[in-house]
Amino acid sequence: WFKMIKKFKQPTIYIFFSIIVFMFLLPKELIYNVFEKELLKYEIVISNEIRDENFSLDILNASVFYKGINIAKINRANFMSFLIYSEFNLINIELEEKLKKIIPYEIENISFKHSIFAINKIYINGNSKFGKFEGYVSLFEKVIKIELEESAEIKSSNFIKYFKYDNERYLYEYRF
């Protein structure tokens, strides 16, 4: 009995160690480059960013362009990925003046979370001066659903016309 346990002990330690090493050495910058290439299909370009890859990938001071027009500046983005869980955080998003007519406030943070336990969904939550929001992207149903908490700032905004009011929350749904 002990010999059998001894035989399984060493391979189990090697497998466990390999998984830990793989999680830390997962090529996050490679994943980011694939993401940038995918955005390029929609004429979205991220430039002027500073990249720093350690345990996670940090992207600092990125400018976002759509069809050659600067639409936003992202102060910090952070990408962490493990074997079963990935998280992408955007921190301090400042929209350009022309877009402030639609979304008048800076977005403090947005988090996108994905797990292999809910492979169909990417969960979204965030905070901005117009309120807290949460939702998800359903990959199989090809729908984005966002719930926005009611706030005084959002009521006076043109941005609210994109949402439906229901049960003291504003709902947004988009099919792609």
Side-chain angles (χ1 to χ4, degrees):
W1 174 254
F2 290 111
K3 287 182 182 183
M4 191 164 71
I5 291 175
K6 220 175 191 183
K7 282 184 179 181
F8 287 110
K9 185 178 178 184
Q10 190 172 9
T12 305
I13 291 171
Y14 286 139
I15 291 170
F16 181 73
F17 181 73
S18 298
I19 289 171
I20 297 296
V21 167
F22 182 72
M23 284 178 14
F24 289 108
L25 299 178
L26 188 68
K28 294 163 193 72
E29 189 153 354
L30 177 66
I31 293 169
Y32 177 74
N33 289 337
V34 169
F35 175 69
E36 269 191 322
K37 196 173 191 178
E38 192 65 30
L39 287 177
L40 196 55
K41 293 178 185 176
Y42 302 97
E43 298 184 64
I44 299 172
V45 176
I46 300 171
S47 66
N48 303 325
E49 73 268 30
I50 299 167
R51 299 181 192 185
D52 182 27
E53 183 175 5
N54 290 312
F55 179 65
S56 64
L57 176 64
D58 281 320
I59 301 152
L60 305 171
N61 301 321
S63 295
V64 181
F65 293 86
Y66 176 68
K67 294 187 177 186
I69 300 169
N70 190 354
I71 60 169
K73 182 174 187 216
I74 301 171
N75 188 18
R76 181 172 179 249
N78 177 271
F79 176 65
M80 293 186 303
S81 185
F82 305 103
L83 292 176
I84 60 172
Y85 176 80
S86 296
E87 185 172 336
F88 186 62
N89 298 302
L90 301 171
I91 301 158
N92 292 331
I93 303 166
E94 298 173 26
L95 299 173
E96 290 301 315
E97 289 300 318
K98 293 176 185 174
L99 287 176
K100 287 185 179 180
K101 293 177 184 173
I102 299 170
I103 305 173
Y105 303 102
E106 294 175 7
I107 300 169
E108 294 167 10
N109 62 60
I110 300 176
S111 292
F112 300 90
K113 298 174 184 171
H114 183 262
S115 169
I116 64 168
F117 300 116
I119 199 160
N120 178 39
K121 292 189 178 173
I122 299 171
Y123 293 96
I124 305 167
N125 64 42
N127 193 17
S128 70
K129 292 182 181 176
F130 56 79
K132 292 182 180 183
F133 56 92
E134 60 184 30
Y136 62 88
V137 177
S138 178
L139 301 173
F140 297 155
E141 296 171 12
K142 295 188 175 184
V143 66
I144 300 171
K145 292 188 177 185
I146 305 285
E147 288 185 17
L148 178 65
E149 289 183 4
E150 187 174 12
S151 69
E153 290 86 4
I154 194 68
K155 287 181 180 179
S156 63
S157 167
N158 285 335
F159 181 60
I160 198 63
K161 67 183 176 185
Y162 299 104
F163 288 77
K164 181 173 66 175
Y165 187 73
D166 185 35
N167 200 20
E168 296 185 10
R169 295 181 87 72
Y170 291 96
L171 307 172
Y172 174 77
E173 184 174 320
Y174 176 76
R175 298 202 175 272
F176 56 94

